Short mmCIF file of all heavy atoms in Angstrom, two decimals:
data_model
loop_
_atom_site.label_atom_id
_atom_site.label_comp_id
_atom_site.label_asym_id
_atom_site.label_seq_id
_atom_site.Cartn_x
_atom_site.Cartn_y
_atom_site.Cartn_z
N MET U 1 99.71 -16.97 -242.31
CA MET U 1 98.69 -15.96 -242.05
C MET U 1 99.26 -14.59 -242.37
O MET U 1 100.44 -14.34 -242.18
CB MET U 1 98.29 -16.10 -240.58
CG MET U 1 98.01 -14.84 -239.79
SD MET U 1 97.67 -15.24 -238.06
CE MET U 1 99.29 -15.69 -237.46
N THR U 2 98.42 -13.73 -242.89
CA THR U 2 98.86 -12.37 -243.19
C THR U 2 98.24 -11.41 -242.18
O THR U 2 97.04 -11.42 -241.97
CB THR U 2 98.44 -11.95 -244.61
OG1 THR U 2 98.97 -12.88 -245.54
CG2 THR U 2 98.97 -10.56 -244.95
N LEU U 3 99.10 -10.61 -241.56
CA LEU U 3 98.64 -9.61 -240.61
C LEU U 3 98.87 -8.24 -241.21
O LEU U 3 99.82 -8.02 -241.95
CB LEU U 3 99.44 -9.69 -239.30
CG LEU U 3 99.45 -11.02 -238.57
CD1 LEU U 3 100.42 -10.92 -237.38
CD2 LEU U 3 98.06 -11.37 -238.08
N GLN U 4 97.99 -7.31 -240.89
CA GLN U 4 98.22 -5.92 -241.27
C GLN U 4 97.99 -5.08 -240.02
O GLN U 4 96.89 -5.04 -239.48
CB GLN U 4 97.28 -5.50 -242.40
CG GLN U 4 97.59 -4.08 -242.88
CD GLN U 4 96.95 -3.78 -244.22
OE1 GLN U 4 97.29 -4.40 -245.22
NE2 GLN U 4 96.02 -2.86 -244.26
N LEU U 5 99.07 -4.44 -239.57
CA LEU U 5 98.99 -3.66 -238.33
C LEU U 5 99.35 -2.21 -238.61
O LEU U 5 100.17 -1.92 -239.49
CB LEU U 5 99.98 -4.23 -237.30
CG LEU U 5 99.76 -5.69 -236.89
CD1 LEU U 5 100.89 -6.14 -235.99
CD2 LEU U 5 98.44 -5.89 -236.20
N LYS U 6 98.73 -1.32 -237.86
CA LYS U 6 99.04 0.10 -238.00
C LYS U 6 99.98 0.50 -236.86
O LYS U 6 99.68 0.27 -235.69
CB LYS U 6 97.76 0.93 -237.97
CG LYS U 6 98.00 2.36 -238.38
CD LYS U 6 96.74 3.00 -238.94
CE LYS U 6 97.11 4.25 -239.74
NZ LYS U 6 95.97 4.85 -240.41
N VAL U 7 101.11 1.11 -237.23
CA VAL U 7 102.11 1.54 -236.26
C VAL U 7 102.29 3.05 -236.43
O VAL U 7 103.13 3.50 -237.22
CB VAL U 7 103.44 0.79 -236.46
CG1 VAL U 7 104.48 1.20 -235.42
CG2 VAL U 7 103.22 -0.73 -236.40
N PRO U 8 101.49 3.84 -235.70
CA PRO U 8 101.46 5.30 -235.93
C PRO U 8 102.80 5.99 -235.72
O PRO U 8 103.05 7.03 -236.35
CB PRO U 8 100.42 5.80 -234.92
CG PRO U 8 99.61 4.60 -234.57
CD PRO U 8 100.54 3.43 -234.67
N ASN U 9 103.65 5.46 -234.84
CA ASN U 9 104.92 6.16 -234.60
C ASN U 9 106.08 5.60 -235.43
O ASN U 9 107.24 5.87 -235.14
CB ASN U 9 105.25 6.23 -233.11
CG ASN U 9 105.36 4.88 -232.44
OD1 ASN U 9 104.97 3.86 -233.00
ND2 ASN U 9 105.89 4.86 -231.23
N MET U 10 105.75 4.89 -236.51
CA MET U 10 106.77 4.53 -237.51
C MET U 10 106.94 5.75 -238.42
O MET U 10 106.11 6.02 -239.29
CB MET U 10 106.31 3.31 -238.32
CG MET U 10 107.22 3.01 -239.48
SD MET U 10 106.84 1.43 -240.31
CE MET U 10 105.17 1.70 -240.91
N ALA U 11 108.02 6.51 -238.19
CA ALA U 11 108.16 7.82 -238.86
C ALA U 11 108.89 7.75 -240.19
O ALA U 11 108.65 8.54 -241.08
CB ALA U 11 108.85 8.79 -237.92
N CYS U 12 109.84 6.82 -240.32
CA CYS U 12 110.66 6.79 -241.53
C CYS U 12 111.06 5.35 -241.85
O CYS U 12 110.72 4.43 -241.11
CB CYS U 12 111.90 7.66 -241.34
SG CYS U 12 113.00 7.03 -240.05
N SER U 13 111.82 5.18 -242.93
CA SER U 13 112.17 3.81 -243.33
C SER U 13 113.10 3.14 -242.32
O SER U 13 113.11 1.91 -242.20
CB SER U 13 112.80 3.80 -244.72
OG SER U 13 113.96 4.58 -244.72
N ALA U 14 113.89 3.92 -241.55
CA ALA U 14 114.74 3.32 -240.51
C ALA U 14 113.87 2.70 -239.42
O ALA U 14 114.19 1.62 -238.90
CB ALA U 14 115.67 4.36 -239.91
N CYS U 15 112.78 3.36 -239.08
CA CYS U 15 111.82 2.78 -238.13
C CYS U 15 111.29 1.47 -238.70
O CYS U 15 111.17 0.47 -237.99
CB CYS U 15 110.64 3.71 -237.90
SG CYS U 15 111.05 5.28 -237.15
N GLY U 16 110.98 1.48 -239.99
CA GLY U 16 110.47 0.28 -240.65
C GLY U 16 111.47 -0.86 -240.55
O GLY U 16 111.08 -2.01 -240.33
N GLU U 17 112.76 -0.54 -240.71
CA GLU U 17 113.79 -1.57 -240.60
C GLU U 17 113.89 -2.12 -239.19
O GLU U 17 114.05 -3.33 -238.98
CB GLU U 17 115.16 -1.01 -241.02
CG GLU U 17 115.36 -1.05 -242.52
CD GLU U 17 116.66 -0.40 -242.96
OE1 GLU U 17 117.67 -0.60 -242.25
OE2 GLU U 17 116.64 0.30 -243.97
N THR U 18 113.80 -1.22 -238.20
CA THR U 18 113.83 -1.65 -236.80
C THR U 18 112.66 -2.60 -236.51
O THR U 18 112.83 -3.64 -235.87
CB THR U 18 113.75 -0.42 -235.86
OG1 THR U 18 114.80 0.47 -236.20
CG2 THR U 18 113.86 -0.83 -234.40
N ILE U 19 111.50 -2.24 -237.01
CA ILE U 19 110.31 -3.06 -236.81
C ILE U 19 110.46 -4.40 -237.51
O ILE U 19 110.14 -5.45 -236.96
CB ILE U 19 109.05 -2.29 -237.29
CG1 ILE U 19 108.79 -1.11 -236.36
CG2 ILE U 19 107.84 -3.21 -237.38
CD1 ILE U 19 107.81 -0.08 -236.91
N THR U 20 110.99 -4.36 -238.74
CA THR U 20 111.20 -5.60 -239.49
C THR U 20 112.13 -6.54 -238.73
O THR U 20 111.86 -7.74 -238.58
CB THR U 20 111.80 -5.29 -240.87
OG1 THR U 20 110.87 -4.45 -241.58
CG2 THR U 20 112.03 -6.56 -241.68
N LYS U 21 113.24 -5.98 -238.20
CA LYS U 21 114.20 -6.80 -237.44
C LYS U 21 113.55 -7.39 -236.20
O LYS U 21 113.78 -8.55 -235.85
CB LYS U 21 115.40 -5.96 -237.03
CG LYS U 21 116.45 -5.86 -238.13
CD LYS U 21 117.68 -5.09 -237.65
CE LYS U 21 118.50 -4.60 -238.84
NZ LYS U 21 119.28 -3.41 -238.51
N ALA U 22 112.75 -6.57 -235.51
CA ALA U 22 112.08 -7.03 -234.29
C ALA U 22 111.16 -8.21 -234.60
O ALA U 22 111.11 -9.19 -233.85
CB ALA U 22 111.29 -5.87 -233.67
N ILE U 23 110.43 -8.11 -235.72
CA ILE U 23 109.53 -9.20 -236.08
C ILE U 23 110.33 -10.44 -236.46
O ILE U 23 109.96 -11.56 -236.12
CB ILE U 23 108.59 -8.76 -237.23
CG1 ILE U 23 107.65 -7.65 -236.72
CG2 ILE U 23 107.78 -9.94 -237.76
CD1 ILE U 23 106.91 -6.90 -237.81
N LYS U 24 111.47 -10.24 -237.13
CA LYS U 24 112.27 -11.39 -237.55
C LYS U 24 112.94 -12.10 -236.36
O LYS U 24 113.34 -13.26 -236.49
CB LYS U 24 113.31 -10.97 -238.58
CG LYS U 24 112.63 -10.56 -239.89
CD LYS U 24 113.47 -10.84 -241.09
CE LYS U 24 112.78 -10.36 -242.36
NZ LYS U 24 112.58 -11.45 -243.31
N THR U 25 113.03 -11.43 -235.22
CA THR U 25 113.56 -12.13 -234.05
C THR U 25 112.55 -13.15 -233.50
O THR U 25 112.93 -14.12 -232.86
CB THR U 25 113.98 -11.17 -232.90
OG1 THR U 25 112.84 -10.45 -232.45
CG2 THR U 25 115.06 -10.20 -233.33
N VAL U 26 111.26 -12.92 -233.74
CA VAL U 26 110.26 -13.90 -233.30
C VAL U 26 109.88 -14.87 -234.41
O VAL U 26 109.37 -15.96 -234.15
CB VAL U 26 108.99 -13.23 -232.71
CG1 VAL U 26 109.34 -12.52 -231.41
CG2 VAL U 26 108.31 -12.30 -233.69
N ASP U 27 110.11 -14.48 -235.67
CA ASP U 27 109.87 -15.39 -236.81
C ASP U 27 110.84 -15.04 -237.93
O ASP U 27 110.58 -14.12 -238.72
CB ASP U 27 108.42 -15.29 -237.28
CG ASP U 27 108.15 -16.22 -238.48
OD1 ASP U 27 109.04 -17.02 -238.83
OD2 ASP U 27 107.04 -16.15 -239.03
N ALA U 28 111.96 -15.77 -237.96
CA ALA U 28 113.01 -15.47 -238.94
C ALA U 28 112.50 -15.62 -240.37
O ALA U 28 113.04 -14.99 -241.29
CB ALA U 28 114.21 -16.38 -238.71
N ALA U 29 111.46 -16.41 -240.56
CA ALA U 29 110.95 -16.67 -241.91
C ALA U 29 109.85 -15.69 -242.31
O ALA U 29 109.30 -15.78 -243.41
CB ALA U 29 110.43 -18.09 -242.00
N ALA U 30 109.53 -14.75 -241.45
CA ALA U 30 108.45 -13.80 -241.73
C ALA U 30 108.80 -12.91 -242.92
O ALA U 30 109.96 -12.56 -243.13
CB ALA U 30 108.17 -12.94 -240.51
N THR U 31 107.78 -12.56 -243.69
CA THR U 31 107.94 -11.57 -244.75
C THR U 31 107.27 -10.29 -244.25
O THR U 31 106.09 -10.29 -243.92
CB THR U 31 107.26 -12.04 -246.05
OG1 THR U 31 107.81 -13.30 -246.41
CG2 THR U 31 107.51 -11.04 -247.18
N VAL U 32 108.06 -9.22 -244.16
CA VAL U 32 107.56 -7.98 -243.58
C VAL U 32 107.64 -6.85 -244.60
O VAL U 32 108.67 -6.65 -245.23
CB VAL U 32 108.38 -7.58 -242.32
CG1 VAL U 32 107.78 -6.35 -241.65
CG2 VAL U 32 108.45 -8.74 -241.33
N THR U 33 106.55 -6.14 -244.76
CA THR U 33 106.52 -4.96 -245.63
C THR U 33 106.09 -3.77 -244.78
O THR U 33 105.05 -3.82 -244.12
CB THR U 33 105.51 -5.16 -246.78
OG1 THR U 33 105.76 -6.40 -247.40
CG2 THR U 33 105.65 -4.04 -247.81
N THR U 34 106.89 -2.72 -244.77
CA THR U 34 106.54 -1.55 -243.97
C THR U 34 106.36 -0.34 -244.88
O THR U 34 107.08 -0.18 -245.86
CB THR U 34 107.64 -1.23 -242.92
OG1 THR U 34 108.87 -0.99 -243.60
CG2 THR U 34 107.81 -2.35 -241.92
N ASP U 35 105.40 0.49 -244.53
CA ASP U 35 105.17 1.73 -245.28
C ASP U 35 105.02 2.89 -244.31
O ASP U 35 103.96 3.07 -243.71
CB ASP U 35 103.92 1.58 -246.16
CG ASP U 35 103.68 2.84 -246.99
OD1 ASP U 35 104.47 3.81 -246.89
OD2 ASP U 35 102.69 2.87 -247.74
N PRO U 36 106.09 3.66 -244.12
CA PRO U 36 106.05 4.78 -243.16
C PRO U 36 105.00 5.83 -243.52
O PRO U 36 104.53 6.54 -242.64
CB PRO U 36 107.46 5.38 -243.23
CG PRO U 36 108.31 4.31 -243.85
CD PRO U 36 107.42 3.53 -244.75
N LYS U 37 104.62 5.92 -244.79
CA LYS U 37 103.61 6.92 -245.19
C LYS U 37 102.23 6.55 -244.67
O LYS U 37 101.54 7.36 -244.07
CB LYS U 37 103.58 7.07 -246.71
CG LYS U 37 104.66 8.01 -247.20
CD LYS U 37 104.47 8.35 -248.68
CE LYS U 37 105.72 9.01 -249.24
NZ LYS U 37 106.17 8.38 -250.47
N SER U 38 101.84 5.31 -244.91
CA SER U 38 100.51 4.87 -244.46
C SER U 38 100.55 4.33 -243.04
O SER U 38 99.52 4.06 -242.44
CB SER U 38 99.96 3.81 -245.40
OG SER U 38 100.78 2.65 -245.37
N LYS U 39 101.79 4.16 -242.49
CA LYS U 39 102.01 3.60 -241.14
C LYS U 39 101.60 2.14 -241.05
O LYS U 39 101.38 1.62 -239.95
CB LYS U 39 101.26 4.40 -240.05
CG LYS U 39 101.41 5.91 -240.13
CD LYS U 39 102.82 6.35 -239.90
CE LYS U 39 102.93 7.88 -239.94
NZ LYS U 39 104.33 8.31 -240.04
N LEU U 40 101.49 1.49 -242.19
CA LEU U 40 101.04 0.10 -242.18
C LEU U 40 102.22 -0.87 -242.25
O LEU U 40 103.19 -0.63 -242.96
CB LEU U 40 100.09 -0.17 -243.35
CG LEU U 40 98.71 0.49 -243.25
CD1 LEU U 40 97.92 0.25 -244.52
CD2 LEU U 40 97.93 0.00 -242.05
N VAL U 41 102.09 -1.94 -241.49
CA VAL U 41 103.08 -3.02 -241.51
C VAL U 41 102.33 -4.29 -241.91
O VAL U 41 101.37 -4.67 -241.24
CB VAL U 41 103.75 -3.21 -240.13
CG1 VAL U 41 104.77 -4.34 -240.18
CG2 VAL U 41 104.42 -1.92 -239.67
N LYS U 42 102.75 -4.89 -243.00
CA LYS U 42 102.15 -6.15 -243.44
C LYS U 42 103.13 -7.27 -243.12
O LYS U 42 104.32 -7.18 -243.43
CB LYS U 42 101.90 -6.13 -244.95
CG LYS U 42 100.59 -5.51 -245.33
CD LYS U 42 100.33 -5.70 -246.83
CE LYS U 42 99.38 -4.63 -247.33
NZ LYS U 42 99.34 -4.60 -248.80
N ILE U 43 102.62 -8.31 -242.49
CA ILE U 43 103.46 -9.41 -242.06
C ILE U 43 102.85 -10.73 -242.50
O ILE U 43 101.69 -11.00 -242.22
CB ILE U 43 103.61 -9.42 -240.51
CG1 ILE U 43 104.01 -8.04 -239.99
CG2 ILE U 43 104.60 -10.47 -240.07
CD1 ILE U 43 103.00 -7.44 -239.04
N GLU U 44 103.68 -11.52 -243.20
CA GLU U 44 103.29 -12.89 -243.55
C GLU U 44 104.07 -13.78 -242.58
O GLU U 44 105.30 -13.81 -242.63
CB GLU U 44 103.68 -13.16 -245.01
CG GLU U 44 103.30 -14.53 -245.52
CD GLU U 44 101.81 -14.80 -245.52
OE1 GLU U 44 101.06 -13.95 -246.01
OE2 GLU U 44 101.39 -15.86 -245.02
N THR U 45 103.36 -14.43 -241.68
CA THR U 45 104.05 -15.14 -240.59
C THR U 45 103.28 -16.35 -240.10
O THR U 45 102.06 -16.47 -240.34
CB THR U 45 104.29 -14.18 -239.40
OG1 THR U 45 105.01 -14.86 -238.39
CG2 THR U 45 102.99 -13.65 -238.81
N GLU U 46 104.00 -17.22 -239.41
CA GLU U 46 103.38 -18.39 -238.79
C GLU U 46 103.08 -18.15 -237.31
O GLU U 46 102.36 -18.92 -236.70
CB GLU U 46 104.32 -19.61 -238.90
CG GLU U 46 104.62 -20.03 -240.34
CD GLU U 46 103.36 -20.41 -241.11
OE1 GLU U 46 102.49 -21.11 -240.55
OE2 GLU U 46 103.22 -19.97 -242.27
N VAL U 47 103.67 -17.10 -236.72
CA VAL U 47 103.43 -16.85 -235.30
C VAL U 47 102.17 -16.01 -235.12
O VAL U 47 101.65 -15.41 -236.07
CB VAL U 47 104.65 -16.18 -234.60
CG1 VAL U 47 105.90 -17.03 -234.74
CG2 VAL U 47 104.89 -14.78 -235.11
N SER U 48 101.66 -15.99 -233.89
CA SER U 48 100.38 -15.33 -233.63
C SER U 48 100.51 -13.81 -233.65
O SER U 48 101.59 -13.25 -233.45
CB SER U 48 99.82 -15.78 -232.28
OG SER U 48 100.58 -15.18 -231.25
N GLU U 49 99.37 -13.16 -233.89
CA GLU U 49 99.34 -11.71 -233.90
C GLU U 49 99.82 -11.15 -232.56
O GLU U 49 100.50 -10.13 -232.51
CB GLU U 49 97.91 -11.23 -234.20
CG GLU U 49 97.81 -9.71 -234.19
CD GLU U 49 96.47 -9.19 -234.69
OE1 GLU U 49 95.75 -9.93 -235.37
OE2 GLU U 49 96.16 -8.02 -234.40
N THR U 50 99.46 -11.82 -231.47
CA THR U 50 99.87 -11.36 -230.14
C THR U 50 101.39 -11.28 -230.03
O THR U 50 101.94 -10.30 -229.50
CB THR U 50 99.34 -12.35 -229.06
OG1 THR U 50 97.94 -12.52 -229.27
CG2 THR U 50 99.58 -11.81 -227.67
N VAL U 51 102.07 -12.30 -230.54
CA VAL U 51 103.54 -12.35 -230.48
C VAL U 51 104.15 -11.23 -231.34
O VAL U 51 105.10 -10.56 -230.92
CB VAL U 51 104.04 -13.75 -230.93
CG1 VAL U 51 105.55 -13.76 -231.10
CG2 VAL U 51 103.62 -14.81 -229.92
N VAL U 52 103.58 -11.03 -232.52
CA VAL U 52 104.08 -9.98 -233.41
C VAL U 52 103.87 -8.60 -232.79
O VAL U 52 104.77 -7.76 -232.77
CB VAL U 52 103.38 -10.06 -234.79
CG1 VAL U 52 103.74 -8.86 -235.65
CG2 VAL U 52 103.77 -11.35 -235.50
N ARG U 53 102.68 -8.39 -232.22
CA ARG U 53 102.40 -7.11 -231.56
C ARG U 53 103.38 -6.85 -230.41
O ARG U 53 103.86 -5.73 -230.23
CB ARG U 53 100.96 -7.10 -230.99
CG ARG U 53 99.91 -6.82 -232.03
CD ARG U 53 98.52 -6.95 -231.40
NE ARG U 53 97.50 -6.56 -232.35
CZ ARG U 53 96.92 -5.34 -232.37
NH1 ARG U 53 97.24 -4.43 -231.49
NH2 ARG U 53 96.02 -5.04 -233.27
N GLN U 54 103.66 -7.91 -229.65
CA GLN U 54 104.58 -7.78 -228.52
C GLN U 54 105.98 -7.41 -229.01
O GLN U 54 106.66 -6.56 -228.43
CB GLN U 54 104.61 -9.09 -227.71
CG GLN U 54 105.39 -8.99 -226.41
CD GLN U 54 104.77 -8.01 -225.43
OE1 GLN U 54 103.59 -8.09 -225.12
NE2 GLN U 54 105.56 -7.05 -224.95
N ALA U 55 106.43 -8.04 -230.10
CA ALA U 55 107.76 -7.76 -230.64
C ALA U 55 107.87 -6.30 -231.08
O ALA U 55 108.88 -5.63 -230.84
CB ALA U 55 108.05 -8.69 -231.82
N ILE U 56 106.81 -5.80 -231.70
CA ILE U 56 106.81 -4.40 -232.16
C ILE U 56 106.83 -3.46 -230.96
O ILE U 56 107.58 -2.48 -230.92
CB ILE U 56 105.58 -4.12 -233.06
CG1 ILE U 56 105.67 -4.95 -234.35
CG2 ILE U 56 105.47 -2.62 -233.39
CD1 ILE U 56 104.41 -4.91 -235.21
N THR U 57 106.02 -3.78 -229.95
CA THR U 57 105.97 -2.97 -228.73
C THR U 57 107.32 -2.96 -228.02
O THR U 57 107.80 -1.91 -227.58
CB THR U 57 104.86 -3.50 -227.79
OG1 THR U 57 103.63 -3.53 -228.51
CG2 THR U 57 104.70 -2.62 -226.57
N ASP U 58 107.95 -4.15 -227.94
CA ASP U 58 109.25 -4.26 -227.28
C ASP U 58 110.33 -3.43 -228.00
O ASP U 58 111.30 -3.00 -227.39
CB ASP U 58 109.70 -5.72 -227.21
CG ASP U 58 108.88 -6.54 -226.20
OD1 ASP U 58 108.13 -5.92 -225.42
OD2 ASP U 58 108.99 -7.77 -226.20
N ALA U 59 110.15 -3.24 -229.31
CA ALA U 59 111.11 -2.45 -230.09
C ALA U 59 110.89 -0.95 -229.90
O ALA U 59 111.64 -0.13 -230.43
CB ALA U 59 111.00 -2.83 -231.57
N GLY U 60 109.85 -0.58 -229.14
CA GLY U 60 109.62 0.82 -228.83
C GLY U 60 108.54 1.50 -229.67
O GLY U 60 108.42 2.72 -229.66
N TYR U 61 107.77 0.67 -230.37
CA TYR U 61 106.70 1.23 -231.20
C TYR U 61 105.35 0.81 -230.67
O TYR U 61 105.24 -0.19 -229.97
CB TYR U 61 106.87 0.79 -232.66
CG TYR U 61 108.13 1.35 -233.26
CD1 TYR U 61 109.33 0.64 -233.19
CD2 TYR U 61 108.15 2.62 -233.80
CE1 TYR U 61 110.50 1.19 -233.67
CE2 TYR U 61 109.32 3.17 -234.29
CZ TYR U 61 110.50 2.45 -234.23
OH TYR U 61 111.66 2.99 -234.70
N SER U 62 104.33 1.60 -231.00
CA SER U 62 102.99 1.26 -230.54
C SER U 62 102.18 0.75 -231.72
O SER U 62 102.35 1.19 -232.85
CB SER U 62 102.32 2.48 -229.93
OG SER U 62 102.32 3.54 -230.85
N VAL U 63 101.32 -0.22 -231.43
CA VAL U 63 100.43 -0.76 -232.46
C VAL U 63 99.04 -0.22 -232.19
O VAL U 63 98.53 -0.32 -231.08
CB VAL U 63 100.43 -2.31 -232.43
CG1 VAL U 63 99.49 -2.86 -233.50
CG2 VAL U 63 101.83 -2.86 -232.61
N ALA U 64 98.44 0.39 -233.21
CA ALA U 64 97.12 0.98 -233.03
C ALA U 64 96.06 -0.09 -232.88
O ALA U 64 96.21 -1.18 -233.42
CB ALA U 64 96.78 1.88 -234.20
CU1 CU Q 1 112.37 6.44 -238.21
#
């Protein structure tokens, strides 16, 4: 499944890396693309959106 989430407080590519790592802790096989300009995070994953949202939140970011 492909998810597209907006993370307004992803300010730079380092934030994107932190978010990518957080998602990979819940799904090591996930493909994550982050764009700090558009604040969009695209995730190709087998886990549920709820789990991905929780991982991002736990890393200190908010999902719109
Ligand atoms: Cu940053």
Side-chain angles (χ1 to χ4, degrees):
M1 142 184 73
T2 303
L3 303 174
Q4 184 164 296
L5 300 174
K6 191 154 198 175
V7 182
N9 59 347
M10 172 171 62
C12 65
S13 60
C15 297
E17 276 176 40
T18 305
I19 291 165
T20 300
K21 277 184 198 154
I23 294 166
K24 292 211 183 238
T25 62
V26 293
D27 179 7
T31 304
V32 184
T33 310
T34 59
D35 182 0
K37 277 190 194 130
S38 64
K39 313 295 182 194
L40 290 175
V41 180
K42 275 187 204 168
I43 309 119
E44 182 62 48
T45 183
E46 298 300 317
V47 302
S48 73
E49 179 171 341
T50 308
V51 170
V52 172
R53 280 175 174 262
Q54 188 63 53
I56 295 171
T57 304
D58 288 348
Y61 295 91
S62 55
V63 180

